[in-house]
């Protein structure tokens, strides 16, 4: 690499830290890392004038299916790269590619594509490893997941998939299914994050799930049980259980469509900013104009309609994934939930990094961390994105 291009001084920015916004001061980048925040000397560096924009840690999206017209289930390296580049334009600097319930062969093809794409991904958001969403779900909470593929956890099947790919970092399942607790323990042993999803569990089942290693609620509120009655008696569902159990982290699709303002405020109030990860859960139409699209793979996905800023099943009975981008989540969370900007950013950066166990190297503007940086304006419109010291969006056409 040209040594001149490996050093940057970002100046004239409002720097967003996990705790506050610093006016003045510079951020120094060398060889892909943040080496200083404040004032120092650095020779042979490229100076980037932020023009008074916010300088934020890059957004970390733990749950995303697609964007820019591509879906990870297309199963090609090209699809992976298109999605990584599309979301980088909206401030995402690291993401966890997410699958849909599918035939095992299609799943394995997607895992192969991940391996190939990761080696050549230099112009988009970094890949943090794969998230398998399904197929071990409650049929009654399937949402837009294809019911043909939903089943109970099968040790022979999941061991084979986990043996096949070392790149799986998280897996979402319904903990009340037969075999789901053993599945959670297996994931925990292998260092894979287990998440509660598409579930009809009651409180005791959620407690058992936490005891077996589940620690995250996938797209909180969507496709999960709330308080219910059985033979006149009331039971706490997954939603109440997640509020009650402090140790459970939550994913929030803060696109302003999936969850209205009062629920965003309630989540913020009860769970607190350090337990909230803003996610896009975006499908292929993110970053594309409204109209018809496909949920899942091009080969055998479901036809959906994108309107009102969200994807819907054709009969409009259910949402079928979001078309959000990470900057929209931060804007919406700030505006609808009345969250200070630096906290909204934290829910899109440091908290997801902590959930994935990578907060020592990503998630905030701090010395020694990866130079994952974004410049945006008051409306959270992204001007410039840097991933691990490489400018992947914006070039010099920002700020000034
Ligand atoms: Zn999803």
């Amino acid at each position: 690499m040209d040594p001149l291009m490996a050093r940057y001084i970002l100046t004239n920015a409002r720097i967003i830290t996990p705790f506050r916004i610093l006016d003045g001061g510079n951020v120094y980048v060398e060889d892909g890392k943040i080496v200083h925040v404040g004032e120092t000397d650095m020779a042979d560096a490229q100076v980037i004038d932020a023009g008074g924009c916010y300088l934020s840690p890059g957004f970390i999206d733990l749950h995303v299916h697609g964007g820019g017209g591509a879906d990870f289930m297309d199963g090609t390296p090209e699809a992976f790269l298109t999605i990584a580049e599309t979301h980088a334009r909206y401030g995402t600097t690291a993401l966890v590619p997410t699958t849909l319930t599918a035939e095992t062969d299609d799943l394995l093809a997607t895992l192969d594509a991940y391996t190939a794409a990761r080696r050549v991904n230099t112009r988009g958001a970094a890949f943090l490893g794969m998230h398998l969403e399904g197929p071990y779900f409650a049929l009654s909470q399937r949402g837009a997941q294809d019911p043909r593929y939903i089943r109970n956890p099968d040790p022979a099947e999941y061991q084979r998939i986990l043996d096949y790919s070392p790149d799986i970092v998280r897996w979402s399942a319904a903990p009340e299914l037969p075999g789901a607790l053993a599945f959670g323990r297996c994931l925990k042993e292998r260092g894979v994050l287990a998440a509660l999803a598409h579930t009809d569990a009651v409180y005791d089942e959620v407690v058992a799930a936490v005891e077996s290693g589940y620690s995250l609620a996938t797209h909180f509120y969507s496709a999960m049980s709330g308080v219910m009655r059985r033979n006149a008696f009331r039971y706490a569902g997954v939603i109440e259980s997640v509020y009650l159990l402090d140790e459970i982290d939550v994913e929030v699709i803060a696109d302003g469509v999936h969850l209205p303002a009062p629920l965003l405020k309630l989540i913020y109030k009860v769970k607190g900013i350090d337990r909230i990860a803003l996610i896009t859960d975006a499908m292929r139409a993110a970053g594309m104009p409204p109209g018809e699209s496909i949920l899942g793979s091009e080969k055998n996905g479901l036809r959906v309609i994108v309107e009102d800023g969200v994807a819907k099943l054709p009969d409009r009975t259910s949402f079928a994934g979001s078309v959000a981008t990470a900057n929209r989540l931060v804007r919406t969370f700030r505006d609808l939930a009345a969250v200070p900007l630096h906290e909204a950013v934290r829910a899109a950066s440091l908290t997801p990094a902590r959930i994935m166990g990578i907060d020592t190297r990503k998630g905030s503007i701090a010395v020694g961390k990866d130079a994952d940086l974004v410049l945006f304006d008051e409306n959270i419109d992204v001007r410039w994105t840097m991933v691990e010291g490489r400018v992947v969006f914006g070039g010099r056409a920002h700020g000034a």
Side-chain angles (χ1 to χ4, degrees):
M1 186 185 278
D2 178 358
L4 205 101
M5 300 305 289
R7 290 181 181 174
Y8 294 89
I9 303 171
L10 287 127
T11 186
N12 194 20
R14 307 184 68 194
I15 302 168
I16 301 178
T17 81
F19 318 105
R20 58 186 173 145
I21 296 174
L22 292 169
D23 286 321
N26 301 328
V27 171
Y28 299 78
V29 171
E30 186 170 8
D31 294 332
K33 303 278 185 201
I34 296 164
V35 293
H36 192 82
V37 181
E39 291 288 344
T40 188
D41 291 322
M42 180 184 268
D44 301 326
Q46 185 177 336
V47 177
I48 294 179
D49 185 334
C53 281
Y54 292 105
L55 179 64
S56 166
F59 306 134
I60 298 175
D61 190 356
L62 300 185
H63 186 156
V64 52
H65 297 272
D71 189 295
F72 293 115
M73 293 307 292
D74 291 343
T76 63
E78 293 72 32
F80 275 74
L81 299 177
T82 297
I83 298 162
E85 288 169 31
T86 299
H87 284 282
R89 294 205 301 272
Y90 299 94
T92 299
T93 55
L95 54 79
V96 180
T98 299
T99 62
L100 286 167
T101 53
E103 303 276 11
T104 302
D105 284 348
D106 289 339
L107 191 61
L108 299 183
T110 295
L111 292 169
D112 289 340
Y114 176 89
T115 308
R118 200 166 97 143
R119 282 193 287 260
V120 293
N121 179 22
T122 55
R123 294 187 308 188
F127 297 130
L128 296 176
M130 292 290 304
H131 168 207
L132 306 193
E133 189 173 9
Y136 311 133
F137 287 151
L139 257 185
S140 50
Q141 293 284 1
R142 66 182 179 274
Q145 300 274 343
D146 193 327
R148 288 176 293 170
Y149 306 123
I150 290 175
R151 50 193 179 269
N152 291 334
D154 170 0
E157 180 182 60
Y158 62 69
Q159 299 276 9
R160 177 180 160 228
I161 294 168
L162 290 164
D163 288 341
Y164 185 83
S165 170
D167 296 317
I168 297 164
V169 294
R170 55 171 298 200
W171 201 325
S172 292
E176 72 276 21
L177 299 178
L181 298 182
F183 177 56
R185 288 191 294 270
C186 170
L187 294 177
K188 183 83 175 171
E189 274 168 23
R190 288 174 177 254
V192 176
L193 179 71
L196 311 158
H198 297 265
T199 162
D200 255 333
V202 295
Y203 178 73
D204 288 345
E205 291 164 331
V206 176
V207 170
V210 170
E211 289 167 348
S212 295
Y214 290 82
S215 59
L216 173 68
T218 297
H219 46 52
F220 190 41
Y221 274 99
S222 297
M224 60 179 59
S225 51
V227 63
M228 67 191 90
R229 274 172 107 141
R230 290 177 183 169
N231 301 322
F233 290 97
R234 277 200 185 81
Y235 291 82
V238 175
I239 290 165
E240 295 77 25
S241 305
V242 167
Y243 278 128
L244 202 49
L245 299 169
D246 289 341
E247 41 279 274
I248 301 179
D249 297 308
V250 297
E251 290 184 346
V252 174
I253 308 172
D255 63 351
V257 180
H258 282 77
L259 295 166
L263 291 184
L264 292 175
K265 287 178 179 168
L266 180 63
I267 297 167
Y268 176 60
K269 181 175 181 175
V270 178
K271 295 304 291 185
I273 203 69
D274 290 323
R275 291 288 178 190
I276 295 169
L278 303 184
I279 56 153
T280 64
D281 198 10
M283 44 82 74
R284 73 173 69 236
M288 301 285 281
E292 287 202 3
S293 189
I294 298 168
L295 178 70
S297 70
E298 258 178 336
K299 193 175 63 173
N300 50 10
L302 299 172
R303 205 172 64 80
V304 299
I305 306 165
V306 177
E307 60 183 16
D308 308 323
V310 68
K312 302 172 183 174
L313 294 181
D315 65 2
R316 296 178 168 82
T317 55
S318 176
F319 293 147
S322 93
V323 294
T325 51
N327 65 321
R328 176 174 157 193
L329 305 175
V330 170
R331 181 195 304 131
T332 304
F333 203 48
R334 176 192 66 180
D335 295 347
L336 290 194
V339 173
L341 177 60
H342 71 279
E343 291 200 355
V345 165
R346 194 154 108 205
S349 54
L350 189 57
T351 304
R354 194 266 303 155
I355 290 170
M356 295 312 297
I358 56 169
D359 51 321
T360 56
R361 63 185 175 93
K362 289 188 183 292
S364 61
I365 295 177
V367 171
K369 289 201 178 183
D370 291 346
D372 294 339
L373 299 166
V374 181
L375 286 174
F376 55 70
D377 62 19
E378 206 63 53
N379 194 42
I380 329 292
D381 286 327
V382 172
R383 307 282 184 88
W384 175 93
T385 308
M386 172 179 274
V387 177
E388 295 172 1
R390 290 184 309 273
V391 178
V392 298
F393 173 67
R396 300 180 70 93
H398 56 81

